[in-house]
Amino acid sequence: MYSYSVFALAVLALLLTPGPTNTLLALSGAGRGVRASLPLMIGEITGYLLVILAVAVLFSEFLKTHAGLAQAIKLCAAIWVAFLAARLWTLPSSTPIGEAITLRRVFVTTCLNPKALIVGLVLLPQAPLAEIWPHILLFSVLVGFAALVWLSAGALLIRHAGQSSPRLVRGTASGFLLVLSLGLAGNVFGIL
């Protein structure tokens, strides 16, 4: 079993990478501020743990032998992220950007996030649940840290841009989510 420091560095590198959940957190940080957005961390941690524990404990061997299911999960993620992009793009200008980011959306987005599969199948040691609990606890703490980074980035960077041109911020975030969605779909179909 590899060390906790190697696990922590790999998890942090993955969690700090831009993605759909992080985009939602940054937008909420920009729209509502860090403190008001903190409850979204519950949705993110719960979503990750639900998938990771299911994969690590129940479905690890099954998913390894049924690659099509992992591809189907990625396709569902691509569709969900495209939905989020469209929803963000079509928000009325008068709607504060933070209101569109709900705990449920963060939870569902995280459940469909391919990062959860990477953690559950690749980064988490393949061992009985009793042996991996310390890794799962460490992972949960790292998710909270990464979430704070993205909420703060949104509050500091996006908020200033959004005050002068909120439509530009929404359009950019929507475009980014659409590119992520197309990337996921392209990966499923072997295009990318």
Side-chain angles (χ1 to χ4, degrees), residues 66-153:
H66 294 84
L69 183 57
Q71 294 296 83
I73 292 169
K74 287 180 186 176
L75 185 58
C76 288
I79 292 167
W80 175 254
V81 174
F83 165 78
L84 290 175
R87 176 75 174 105
L88 189 57
W89 183 264
T90 59
L91 273 178
S93 309
S94 60
T95 304
I97 199 163
E99 286 182 22
I101 314 303
T102 64
L103 184 97
R104 187 176 82 193
R105 284 200 172 116
V106 169
F107 172 76
V108 172
T109 301
T110 304
C111 284
L112 292 171
N113 195 330
K115 291 178 185 180
L117 290 177
I118 293 169
V119 172
L121 293 173
V122 178
L123 299 181
L124 198 62
Q126 301 299 305
L129 187 59
E131 293 178 26
I132 62 172
W133 272 111
H135 285 86
I136 292 170
L137 180 60
L138 176 59
F139 174 78
S140 300
V141 170
L142 294 172
V143 169
F145 172 76
L148 282 174
V149 168
W150 281 97
L151 290 171
S152 299

Side-chain angles (χ1 to χ4, degrees), residues 28 32-43 103 144 147-148 151:
S28 183
R32 289 188 230 161
V34 174
R35 185 177 301 202
S37 299
L38 288 177
L40 297 177
M41 290 171 45
I42 295 167
L103 184 97
L148 282 174
L151 290 171

Side-chain angles (χ1 to χ4, degrees), residues 10-32:
V11 166
L12 269 179
L14 184 66
L15 291 175
L16 291 173
T17 302
T21 302
N22 292 338
T23 301
L24 294 179
L25 293 174
L27 289 171
S28 183
R32 289 188 230 161

